[in-house]
Amino acid sequence: MTFGFAPSAATSISTPADSASRLARMLEPAEWAAAGIPLLRNPREVVSGLHTRHRPTPATAVVAVLDHEERLAASASFTRRAVPADGWEFRNALLAHLRRVIPHDLRRRTPVRTAVLLYCRDGDERWTEEDGAWMWGLRDACTLHGLRCGAYITLTRGGWQVLGEGRGGRRPHSASPPGDLADASADEMLPAPRTASGAAEPLRRTAAR
């Protein structure tokens, strides 16, 4: 798959040392594709279900944990702060939300649950440094919580795409109206997973069910 590159949406004045540190905490598409990330059997269903539950707008991250049958076990959403993209900051935010919605699996010899990340942002589908920082953060958060690192999905005006796989679709997109939760096929005959949604503060849970 051919990747395009676009400048990160988060820019600020920083020192060369700061920039070098942040660049070390991001993954480029080739690194991500070579990491052996497990493929989603039905990415459209996962994306639609998370979009319906969390109704993300640009700058909203939705982290979800899937069981071994790819059923949603827990999810949380939060809005990222307007700071330079840094995988360490993203890792901490993801890990904090994972700890709030689901117990860790660190006692297991092999992870059985998988965390995926849906990030709604402005711009087009091309990879950005911000995406690379989210990838690094997701991978590290999964290691620290005993989960398998799963797909990183972007949601833009043009639709959604699973980075590193070449799979995507036009709907939902970043401006799509929310769907009806009763129509989300992933929820049929399943107990409601634990969810949390955040507003302006990235580490603050405002609703759970």
Side-chain angles (χ1 to χ4, degrees):
M1 177 181 177
T2 301
F3 289 91
F5 295 85
S8 173
T11 57
S12 70
I13 298 175
S14 60
T15 67
D18 290 338
S19 298
S21 295
R22 289 198 302 272
L23 287 171
R25 294 189 290 266
M26 68 175 57
L27 297 175
E28 295 196 6
E31 296 175 288
W32 184 255
I37 305 299
L39 300 178
L40 291 170
R41 290 197 301 268
N42 194 336
R44 184 183 302 276
E45 183 176 286
V46 172
V47 172
S48 296
L50 294 180
H51 182 268
T52 296
R53 284 185 174 278
H54 293 276
R55 306 181 181 186
T57 56
T60 300
V62 181
V63 61
V65 178
L66 309 179
D67 68 13
H68 67 286
E69 295 183 350
E70 209 168 275
R71 294 179 300 189
L72 182 62
S75 63
S77 63
F78 58 96
T79 302
R80 64 154 292 188
R81 293 179 293 186
V83 296
D86 189 321
W88 187 81
E89 294 283 351
F90 293 169
R91 185 277 307 274
N92 290 345
L94 291 169
L95 191 57
H97 281 82
L98 286 170
R99 285 170 173 166
R100 288 172 177 171
V101 298
I102 199 162
H104 67 74
D105 279 345
L106 293 172
R107 293 184 182 86
R108 292 184 178 274
R109 188 171 298 178
T110 302
V112 296
R113 296 186 291 195
T114 303
V116 301
L117 178 60
L118 171 71
Y119 184 55
C120 182
R121 62 168 172 79
D122 293 320
D124 56 30
E125 71 280 359
R126 293 179 296 170
W127 179 89
T128 68
E129 291 182 358
E130 184 182 23
D131 294 326
W134 279 117
M135 290 171 168
W136 189 97
L138 176 63
R139 185 185 66 177
D140 217 42
C142 287
T143 298
L144 294 174
H145 206 63
L147 303 169
R148 287 199 305 171
C149 180
Y152 173 68
I153 307 161
T154 57
L155 193 68
T156 63
R157 279 276 184 176
W160 60 272
Q161 72 159 342
V162 185
L163 265 69
E165 294 186 19
R167 293 190 291 174
R170 294 183 178 179
R171 290 184 177 277
H173 52 75
S174 60
S176 291
D180 186 345
L181 187 59
D183 294 334
S185 58
D187 295 327
E188 292 179 4
M189 304 299 291
L190 296 177
R194 285 169 286 186
T195 64
S197 59
E201 295 294 331
L203 301 182
R204 176 181 164 195
R205 184 174 59 176
T206 60
R209 62 181 179 271

